[in-house]
């Protein structure tokens, strides 16, 4: 940050003709040099870069603010659904806050978040959404999907939706029973498959995907596993490895201290806000940021704010891209 | 074991200066021309259209880079090296591109990124770099929607 303070003043003390020559020079920069600048930009700078002129916009067509995806980067937070005019509050990993208008998130609920993609449920539709680029990929609608508000919905997807191998798995509870339902869909399929797990009363707190298995953890030491290959649900108990050389599933829980620090950094009144979690890739294991589903005290269907932890990325997709 | 060879590079301004060959070939362009010409110790770059100031900077850049072993020292030195104004940065950019020196290009693009980061909004970027806004009204409106940030 120190180096920014020492940036020279734009209007230097050179003669005005020299200034004019300089300005033209940057305007005539060979266009093949522009992508190398765009590729290094963070998300906010990239958005501005794309608004400068046609050449700069075209040159950054494949830039995705990859720099935001470095391991161990804290996720950003989006608070949405607070009011009627589509305004969302965005908090960066350094605590900077922005107000941003995203109409697509009006009345939506975020089910999953990973690598810059959100899985949203809105008015009966389910779709992938990138809040910065507004890219959208619609999924087939599951029949008789339990409505939001009554049940906890926690979802995970195996890879970004642009990958042919993407599998989505949504877990939810119906009608205040102790039974869990799993809805699974593969990329390219036109319908969901449904699986059931009886008698699992505990709330799901964390969820992740690793190597063909979806993991859902409750607030004790139990986990629900869904294997894509076997198409079956199994129950398990969490066991922590004792030595670093032991083979293990590379997942870890966020500590309470980390949880509190993340909330403090937000500097927002979260109260009854339901938040969708995510996983943060770290060197040895993925760190799971928990989901917090709070019952809607005012009753299902009333508008209330929700939040999501996510990685800021600028995903650009072909308009013709479909599930 | 060969003694370190020196290449003589002549700039557009007709100044010749000697650079250790291992440094000279950091430039992909010079490397290619050297192997093409197949000369051993002396390479005359008469057709090199690079002003003297740029050439000297490249040579200095690499001499210093090879001398610095400690990472911290290098990054400190690098930040000072790139602490130049827009005009010099542009020259460095063009030179690094022409001479095809990857490490220099990386440093320059990062620095340009820093300049962009320091700009509060799109309009300031345009002023800083002297870029004309050539968007059609509708395209501009679409972009403005994506860019509708307000810092609290």
């Amino acid at each position: 940050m120190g180096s920014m303070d020492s940036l020279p003043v734009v209007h230097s003390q050179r003669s005005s003709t020299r200034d004019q020559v300089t300005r033209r020079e940057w305007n005539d920069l060979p266009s093949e040099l522009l992508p190398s600048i765009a590729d290094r930009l963070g998300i906010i700078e990239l958005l501005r870069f794309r608004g400068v002129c046609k050449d700069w916009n075209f040159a950054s067509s494949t830039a995705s603010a990859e720099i935001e995806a470095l391991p161990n980067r804290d996720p950003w937070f989006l608070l949405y659904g607070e009011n009627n005019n589509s305004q969302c509050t965005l908090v960066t990993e350094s605590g900077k806050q922005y107000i941003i208008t995203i109409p697509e998130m009006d009345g939506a609920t975020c089910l999953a978040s990973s690598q810059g993609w959100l899985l949203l449920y809105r008015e009966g539709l389910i779709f992938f959404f990138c809040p910065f680029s507004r890219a959208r990929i619609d999924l087939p609608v599951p029949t008789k999907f339990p409505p939001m508000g009554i049940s906890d919905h926690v979802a995970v997807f195996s890879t970004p939706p642009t990958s042919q191998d993407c599998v989505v798995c949504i877990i939810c509870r119906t009608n205040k029973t102790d039974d869990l339902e799993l809805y699974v869909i593969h990329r390219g399929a036109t319908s969901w498959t449904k699986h059931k797990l009886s008698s699992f009363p505990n709330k799901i707190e964390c969820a992740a995907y690793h190597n063909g298995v979806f993991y859902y953890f409750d607030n004790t030491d139990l986990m629900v596993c869904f294997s894509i290959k076997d198409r079956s649900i199994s129950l398990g108990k969490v066991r922590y490895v004792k030595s670093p050389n032991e083979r293990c599933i590379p997942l870890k829980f966020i500590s309470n201290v980390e949880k509190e620090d993340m909330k403090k950094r937000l500097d927002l009144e979260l109260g009854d806000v339901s938040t969708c979690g995510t996983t943060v890739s770290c060197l040895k294991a993925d760190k799971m940021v928990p989901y917090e589903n709070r019952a809607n005290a005012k009753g299902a269907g009333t508008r209330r704010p929700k939040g999501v932890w996510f990685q800021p990325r600028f995903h650009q997709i072909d308009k013709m891209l479909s599930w | 074991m060969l003694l370190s060879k020196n290449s003589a590079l002549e700039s557009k301004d007709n100044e010749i200066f000697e650079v250790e060959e291992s440094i000279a070939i950091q430039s992909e362009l010079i490397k290619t021309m050297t192997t093409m010409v197949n000369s051993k110790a002396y390479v005359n770059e008469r057709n090199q259209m690079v002003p003297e100031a740029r050439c000297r900077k490249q040579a200095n850049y690499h001499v210093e880079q090879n001398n610095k072993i400690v990472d911290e020292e290098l990054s400190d030195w690098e930040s000072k090296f790139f602490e130049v104004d827009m005009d010099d940065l542009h020259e460095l950019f063009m030179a690094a591109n022409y001479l095809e020196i990857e490490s220099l290009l990386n440093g320059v693009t990062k620095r340009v990124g820093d300049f962009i980061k320091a700009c509060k909004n799109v309009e300031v970027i345009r002023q800083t770099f002297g870029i004309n806004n050539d968007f059609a009204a509708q395209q501009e409106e679409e972009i403005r929607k994506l860019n509708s940030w307000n810092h609290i």
Side-chain angles (χ1 to χ4, degrees):
Chain A
M1 289 297 142
S3 66
M4 283 220 296
D5 295 333
S6 64
L7 275 177
V9 174
V10 169
H11 303 294
S12 64
Q13 277 108 22
R14 294 168 191 260
S15 71
S16 57
T17 39
R18 180 79 197 261
D19 268 354
Q20 283 173 351
V21 170
T22 302
R23 304 295 165 252
R24 260 211 306 282
E25 281 179 353
W26 281 104
N27 216 15
D28 296 333
L29 198 70
S31 51
E32 69 260 19
L33 293 180
L34 293 172
S36 58
I37 303 174
D39 286 344
R40 303 174 147 259
L41 296 176
I43 186 81
I44 296 178
E45 291 78 45
L46 178 60
L47 284 173
R48 289 188 188 141
F49 186 94
R50 290 181 60 69
V52 171
C53 67
K54 279 187 188 163
D55 276 350
W56 286 35
N57 187 283
F58 184 75
S60 52
S61 301
T62 52
S64 65
E66 265 174 16
I67 196 170
E68 309 276 8
L70 294 172
N72 273 320
R73 285 285 273 254
D74 273 343
W76 290 20
F77 188 83
L78 188 72
L79 185 69
Y80 62 100
E82 261 189 305
N83 48 48
N84 288 330
N85 49 10
S86 315
Q87 278 185 349
C88 308
T89 306
L90 181 75
V91 186
T92 70
E93 96 278 355
S94 59
K96 273 206 188 132
Q97 290 193 7
Y98 296 89
I99 297 272
I100 178 170
T101 306
I102 311 180
E104 292 88 339
M105 299 204 64
D106 259 353
T109 301
C110 188
L111 303 177
S113 158
S114 174
Q115 297 186 59
W117 286 102
L118 305 182
L119 184 69
L120 297 183
Y121 176 82
R122 183 185 183 216
E123 290 164 1
L125 298 176
I126 299 186
F127 55 96
F128 281 100
F129 183 67
C130 172
F132 292 105
S133 65
R134 318 296 163 95
R136 176 178 173 144
I137 303 175
D138 281 86
L139 266 58
V141 181
T143 48
K144 297 200 194 131
F145 196 59
M148 302 286 142
I150 297 178
S151 58
D152 320 315
H153 292 68
V154 171
V156 185
F157 44 98
S158 60
T159 62
T162 42
S163 151
Q164 287 302 320
D165 306 322
C166 183
V167 181
V168 182
C169 182
I170 306 178
I171 207 170
C172 48
R173 199 181 294 286
T174 61
N175 295 325
K176 291 185 183 164
T177 66
D178 285 348
D179 300 341
L180 286 182
E181 279 182 346
L182 258 77
Y183 290 81
V184 184
I185 193 167
H186 291 240
R187 176 97 195 265
T190 50
S191 60
W192 298 71
T193 55
K194 195 162 115 181
H195 305 263
K196 210 164 184 156
L197 178 69
S198 313
S199 267
F200 193 89
N202 302 343
K203 223 176 181 148
I204 303 290
E205 268 209 351
C206 290
Y209 168 85
H210 175 69
N211 207 20
V213 181
F214 290 98
Y215 297 92
Y216 297 89
F217 302 92
D218 72 353
N219 52 5
T220 66
D221 62 349
L222 294 177
M223 59 186 191
V224 177
C225 310
F226 180 80
S227 155
I228 297 178
K229 196 169 52 128
D230 303 335
R231 279 175 270 200
S232 62
I233 304 179
S234 58
L235 280 181
K237 251 192 172 166
V238 173
R239 193 180 67 81
Y240 297 94
V241 291
K242 297 206 168 62
S243 83
N245 297 325
E246 226 179 304
R247 269 186 56 189
C248 65
I249 301 166
L251 294 172
K252 58 182 178 182
F253 295 99
I254 199 174
S255 70
N256 280 330
V257 173
E258 278 176 298
K259 223 195 283 194
E260 289 311 305
D261 280 345
M262 282 172 81
K263 286 202 177 144
K264 253 187 235 158
R265 184 193 6 117
L266 289 186
D267 198 25
L268 291 173
E269 277 301 316
L270 282 186
D272 270 346
V273 173
S274 282
T275 60
C276 175
T278 185
T279 50
V280 176
S281 68
C282 304
L283 281 175
K284 291 209 180 123
D286 286 348
K287 189 165 63 177
M288 295 181 285
V289 178
Y291 294 70
E292 294 181 41
N293 272 325
R294 308 224 184 284
N296 190 352
K298 296 181 188 149
T302 55
R303 179 182 287 278
R304 64 201 186 102
K306 301 177 200 114
V308 51
W309 293 98
F310 73 110
Q311 287 84 19
R313 296 288 290 277
F314 192 80
H315 290 301
Q316 302 184 64
I317 58 171
D318 193 14
K319 279 208 175 86
M320 301 305 292
L321 189 80
S322 68
W323 182 255
Chain B
M1 184 70 182
L2 292 166
L3 290 170
S4 115
K5 292 182 273 184
N6 280 354
S7 305
L9 304 173
E10 181 173 336
S11 71
K12 184 183 180 185
D13 308 34
N14 291 111
E15 181 167 335
I16 298 180
F17 42 102
E18 283 190 35
V19 179
E20 230 183 75
E21 189 169 314
S22 60
I23 295 175
I25 60 168
Q26 296 268 346
S27 157
E28 288 294 321
L29 183 72
I30 294 176
K31 189 175 174 185
T32 313
M33 292 176 100
T34 310
T35 48
M36 276 164 57
V37 171
N38 205 25
S39 65
K40 286 175 196 167
Y42 185 84
V43 174
N44 189 336
E45 308 282 334
R46 282 197 183 280
N47 52 356
Q48 193 170 302
M49 307 295 251
V50 178
E52 175 253 324
R54 291 182 189 176
C55 245
R56 189 184 294 284
K57 275 194 189 134
Q58 314 324 322
N60 285 341
Y61 180 77
H62 286 294
V63 166
E64 295 300 319
Q65 202 179 39
N66 288 336
N67 285 340
K68 297 269 183 286
I69 300 163
V70 182
D71 274 333
E72 230 178 71
E73 250 183 55
L74 181 59
S75 66
D76 266 348
W77 180 86
E78 270 188 358
S79 351
K80 290 211 181 69
F81 183 85
F82 289 109
E83 238 167 70
V84 292
D85 63 12
M86 297 285 295
D87 306 327
D88 290 341
L89 190 66
H90 185 268
E91 272 197 9
L92 270 180
F93 207 171
M94 302 304 279
N97 183 45
Y98 179 79
L99 292 172
E100 297 171 45
I101 303 175
E102 194 178 315
S103 51
L104 195 61
L105 264 177
N106 286 341
V108 173
T109 49
K110 183 171 176 296
R111 188 68 181 156
V112 174
D114 288 342
F115 267 97
I116 293 175
K117 196 166 180 177
C119 295
K120 282 198 182 111
N121 56 46
V122 175
E123 194 44 54
V124 175
I125 297 179
R126 286 191 191 127
Q127 283 168 19
T128 307
F129 290 86
I131 308 288
N132 302 323
N133 176 8
D134 58 354
F135 283 123
Q138 195 193 9
Q139 200 178 5
E140 176 137 35
E141 178 58 24
E142 278 172 25
I143 289 171
R144 196 198 56 80
K145 277 195 199 141
L146 290 186
N147 237 337
S148 57
W149 300 77
N150 282 313
H151 191 10
I152 300 179

